Each structure stands twice: as C-alpha cells, then as structure tokens.
Amino acid sequence: MALAYEARGQSSADLMLHYSPKAQKDVVLTGQLQFLNFLTCEFDSKVRTVNYAPYTSIASAAGEPVASLIDAEIRMRDDTMVWRRLIHSEPDTADLVEDLRKAIGRGALAKVSAIEVLTFDELTVNPMRLRNAMRAIAWIAAARHWPLAELKRKVLALLERRRTATFDEVLALEEGPNRALVGAAVLDMLCNGVVRADLAEVPLHGLTQFHHVGDKEC
C-alpha cells in the first residue's frame, strides 16, 4: 500500500483503497477496471480468496513479462487457480496471452487452471449486481473488527426453522447496533456461498429473501 501511494502521480488512473473480505485486508486498486473486478470477485460466492496485486508472486514463478499481463490471482472454492487479465476492450493486443493459454497446467503454470480476459463491457454487464456488491462489501467492511460467528449461527438457525427469511427478519434477530452486525453476517454468508438471495436483478432491501444454499425448493 505504501509503495502504491508513493507512486501517485505516475499514471492517469485513480488510486483506491478498499477492504477486501476475500483477502481479509485492505487492498489498493488502480483504476476503474480493477475496481470493477474487485466488486465482481468479492460478490462471487465461487471465489475463495483473491490476490489483487499478484505481480511479485507471478514474476517469481513465471517471469516479469507474464506478471505484467495479470491483474488478479483468484483461488476458487473448488481449489482451482485462475489468472485474470483486465482490458478495456477487445482485441487483446498482448500476443503472450495466447501462449499462456497453451501453457496452462505445465511448468511454471502447473498450478493455473485458466487464464481469463475480461473487458469493461463484460465487467459491467449487470449494473444491479455491481450496486449490490458495493453495498454488501460496505456492510462487511464496517463489521471487520467484530466476531460474527455467533450471529451467523443465529441466521442459519432462523433459515432452518423458516427456510426463507427476509433481510428485515434477519436484522430483527438483534437489537440496537447489533442489527448492523447481523446484517453484515448474512451478507458475508451470501458472498461466501452459505446462503443465497436473488440480488442479480433487484436491489438489496428489507424484503430481500435469503435461503440456505442447500435448500433447492426455495
């Protein structure tokens, strides 16, 4: 973070500092594409952890030319590794990307399962999902210093009894400031695939319904 801030003024992109629940630390994001990718990764329940500054680790394994192409190193919940490259629009002018795809699973790329290239249009295809991601991450970030395990157990117990619970009903599990903490708990569970809710098409609100991820009948 200190290096990124010391380098301010050397590029045309904005520099943003955000807390990442998936990385469990503050991360520095450079420019709009990185911010959009941040929202996409953090709200994706299939993503376990993300390295938003993978240059050093990739350079040591595959060399600096490869590292300069990759913007995020993503560990999925099925334990596969994805290297993600962000570009404003097609075509991708980096010839080395195709060479990387051919080398997946061998040598220095033995641990990599896929090379993804995402454009601005692909990252912004669902504005509602991005808006909900911003709200969910803000709730989780605000509760980062509080233990949420007991509150998550309360949410799961509610869903086991009711099968479906609205956001207002989840918040009603606690009183006072703890209402915000239980809200952060259920949103963290959503981002990690423990519960589910339809937040791809409608905004998060009091009547948003949450279900246990294993209950396919809801």
Side-chain angles (χ1 to χ4, degrees), residues 24-99:
Q24 295 188 347
K25 64 179 181 180
D26 291 326
V27 295
V28 175
L29 307 168
T30 305
Q32 187 179 40
L33 286 178
Q34 284 202 7
F35 178 61
L36 292 170
N37 180 59
F38 166 77
L39 295 177
T40 300
C41 289
E42 298 293 329
F43 206 56
D44 188 347
S45 62
K46 297 187 296 296
V47 171
R48 181 193 300 164
T49 61
V50 188
N51 181 356
Y52 294 103
Y55 184 90
T56 300
S57 63
I58 293 177
S60 63
E64 293 185 358
V66 172
S68 66
L69 298 176
I70 307 302
D71 296 283
E73 188 175 49
I74 304 168
R75 176 72 66 180
M76 309 301 288
R77 294 206 173 275
D78 62 4
D79 212 34
T80 56
M81 177 70 75
V82 174
W83 282 358
R84 183 171 292 173
R85 171 171 167 78
L86 308 174
I87 59 176
H88 285 281
S89 61
E90 294 287 4
D92 191 344
T93 57
D95 296 334
L96 186 56
V97 172
E98 288 306 315
D99 294 335

Side-chain angles (χ1 to χ4, degrees), residues 166-180:
T166 66
F167 194 40
D168 277 343
E169 289 170 335
V170 170
L171 297 179
L173 289 171
E174 294 291 326
E175 297 179 353
N178 283 351
R179 286 170 56 86

